[in-house]
């Protein structure tokens, strides 16, 4: 697996340029940098100009802080959970407090420590609801939050009526607060400046995923061929006999499977590539192995490409009936990861 760090940096700079004038652009590096290795990813983003980062949980903040040192700010979407106090203090993390319970925990355990507040503008996932926020708003604002944020539920669909509805709710909850505000992840940036406020926080677009269609591809994945065999008409391949050959067929068995994040939904459906030539998957994707037809190739392939110039994470996601986020974050630990620089 080759990870193009320059492409990640270029995608951040492009999304930063799309953010309205005067708006700071952060970077979301949760889930181990979307599965690509948070240390190297965070350093590449910091070199590109990112100064604020977000992770999902406090434990993820450790690797980011280790990679970047004491300077950059690291926000934690899940807030201040039980048992997080020492990590938040020692690592200098900024929890996005989601409830009165979290506020009580944070203000009692770490008085004076920086914090943000996450508000629920309609997604009903994380954050304080309007009535709850109204009850504590003045008290919390008096303690100087670093950020007020919310999250869009349908930003990937620019015409969805939920987007302006959430925008109106967020404005109503935050107008007049005199605190920096953040509402837009990748999809929100693409919705335009009305959604940008003071800080944008792109995630999947940094890593080459939709809805940022112009993103530079970040990941290439080649699977080595373990064995080649010829099967006769009427013979099957793999578990369950789900593929039976109608003619003599040459099959490559490649190293990779659902233990490596390659979904069983690609069985008899997905393709790999040999240079520019598609090669269909035959039979079921198993834990460690995939059968691929190579009858039409003029040479014996040493490897076949799952992710590359002809097929990105969202193409695989479409074939598997999922989303690019899932494909990225499920790429397993058995891949040899090679980090490339100097392609710009």
């Amino acid at each position: 697996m080759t990870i193009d760090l320059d492409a990640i940096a270029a995608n951040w700079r492009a999304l930063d340029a799309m953010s309205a004038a005067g708006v700071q652009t952060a970077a979301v590096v949760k889930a181990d940098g979307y599965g690509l290795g948070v240390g190297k990813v965070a350093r590449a983003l910091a070199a590109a100009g990112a100064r604020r980062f977000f992770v999902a949980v406090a434990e993820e903040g450790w690797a980011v802080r280790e990679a970047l040192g004491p300077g950059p700010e690291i926000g934690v979407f899940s807030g201040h959970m039980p048992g997080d106090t020492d990590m938040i203090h020692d690592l200098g993390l900024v929890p996005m407090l989601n409830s009165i319970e979290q506020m009580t925990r944070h203000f009692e355990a770490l008085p004076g420590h920086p914090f943000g507040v996450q508000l629920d503008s309609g997604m009903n996932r994380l954050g304080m609801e309007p009535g709850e926020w109204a009850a504590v708003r003045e008290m919390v604002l008096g303690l100087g939050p670093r950020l007020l944020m919310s999250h869009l539920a349908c930003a990937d669909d620019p015409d969805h009526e939920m987007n302006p509805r959430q925008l109106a709710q967020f404005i109503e909850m935050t107008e007049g607060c005199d605190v920096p505000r953040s509402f837009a992840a990748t999809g929100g940036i693409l919705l335009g400046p009305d959604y940008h406020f003071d800080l944008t926080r792109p995630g999947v677009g940094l890593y080459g995923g939709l809805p940022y269609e112009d993103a530079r591809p970040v990941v290439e994945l080649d699977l080595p061929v373990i064995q080649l065999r010829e099967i006769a008409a009427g013979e099957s391949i793999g578990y369950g006999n789900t593929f039976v050959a109608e003619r003599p067929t040459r099959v490559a068995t490649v190293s990779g499977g659902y233990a490596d994040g390659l979904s069983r939904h690609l069985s008899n459906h997905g393709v790999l590539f040999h240079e520019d030539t598609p090669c269909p998957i035959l039979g079921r994707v198993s834990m460690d192995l995939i059968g691929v037809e190579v009858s039409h190739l003029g040479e014996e392939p040493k490897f076949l490409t799952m992710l590359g110039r002809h097929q990105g994470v969202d193409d695989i996601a479409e074939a598997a009936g999922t989303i690019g986020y899932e494909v990225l974050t499920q790429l397993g630990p058995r891949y040899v990861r090679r980090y490339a620089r100097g392609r710009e």
Side-chain angles (χ1 to χ4, degrees):
M1 184 160 71
T2 301
I3 298 160
D4 187 344
L5 295 174
D6 284 338
I8 294 175
N11 290 336
W12 182 86
R13 284 193 293 267
L15 289 163
D16 178 47
M18 291 181 205
S19 299
V23 174
Q24 185 179 16
T25 305
V28 178
V29 293
K30 61 184 179 176
D32 192 31
Y34 282 58
L36 302 183
V38 71
K40 288 183 171 61
V41 165
R43 284 191 289 269
L45 288 165
R51 295 294 177 265
R52 293 176 78 164
F53 297 81
F54 286 91
V55 295
V57 295
E59 289 84 354
E60 293 180 338
W62 180 86
V64 182
R65 183 62 74 208
E66 182 182 49
L68 300 181
E73 182 172 308
I74 304 169
V76 181
F77 289 140
S78 65
H80 192 147
M81 297 288 288
D84 283 356
T85 299
D86 287 344
M87 277 186 292
I88 289 171
H89 175 269
D90 295 347
L91 298 171
L93 307 180
V94 181
M96 301 293 112
L97 305 179
N98 291 288
S99 64
I100 291 176
E101 177 187 9
Q102 287 198 353
M103 288 180 172
T104 301
R105 179 180 301 119
H106 185 74
F107 299 151
E108 289 182 351
L110 295 174
H113 187 92
F115 70 95
V117 178
Q118 186 154 196
L119 304 172
D120 178 18
S121 57
M123 191 174 185
N124 289 315
R125 190 177 66 166
L126 277 180
M128 304 189 76
E129 296 182 3
E132 186 180 31
W133 170 238
V136 299
R137 170 175 156 152
E138 295 310 313
M139 181 273 291
V140 172
L141 293 178
L143 296 173
R146 293 275 297 152
L147 189 70
L148 301 178
M149 65 162 287
S150 189
H151 193 59
L152 287 155
C154 301
D156 290 3
D157 180 355
D159 297 322
H160 202 290
E161 58 84 24
M162 185 72 167
N163 296 323
R165 179 150 51 95
Q166 280 193 264
L167 176 62
Q169 182 66 73
F170 184 60
I171 291 172
E172 182 178 340
M173 295 175 77
T174 60
E175 199 67 45
C177 286
D178 196 27
V179 174
R181 293 179 286 181
S182 178
F183 196 39
T186 300
I189 293 172
L190 300 176
L191 289 177
D194 287 348
Y195 291 81
H196 294 176
F197 294 92
D198 303 290
L199 175 78
T200 59
R201 43 179 211 278
V204 72
L206 304 177
Y207 308 100
L210 293 174
Y212 182 28
E213 294 181 354
D214 294 329
R216 281 177 49 172
V218 169
V219 184
E220 297 177 0
L221 179 60
D222 296 325
L223 303 180
V225 174
I226 300 173
Q227 187 175 4
L228 291 165
R229 68 175 65 246
E230 306 283 346
I231 67 169
E235 291 190 294
S236 64
I237 298 171
Y239 287 116
N241 293 10
T242 63
F243 175 85
V244 177
E246 297 179 352
R247 53 179 170 74
T249 304
R250 178 177 247 190
V251 180
T253 301
V254 299
S255 180
Y258 58 77
D260 306 295
L262 305 176
S263 172
R264 289 180 80 247
H265 291 95
L266 296 171
S267 302
N268 291 305
H269 187 53
V271 299
L272 286 80
F273 281 83
H274 175 64
E275 298 178 350
D276 299 326
T277 304
C279 301
I281 291 174
L282 305 179
R284 287 184 183 166
V285 173
S286 58
M287 182 182 292
D288 314 298
L289 304 168
I290 302 173
V292 184
E293 180 168 9
V294 293
S295 309
H296 52 307
L297 301 183
E299 60 183 291
E300 295 187 357
K302 301 299 183 184
F303 63 88
L304 295 171
T305 299
M306 178 66 79
L307 284 168
R309 66 181 184 274
H310 295 299
Q311 181 167 252
V313 292
D314 290 289
D315 298 310
I316 292 175
E318 183 177 3
T322 183
I323 57 176
Y325 299 74
E326 185 173 15
V327 173
L328 272 173
T329 58
Q330 288 188 350
L331 294 173
R334 296 194 294 190
Y335 298 119
V336 176
R337 284 165 163 77
R338 174 179 174 267
Y339 292 89
R341 300 302 304 256
R343 296 189 178 190
E344 293 184 289

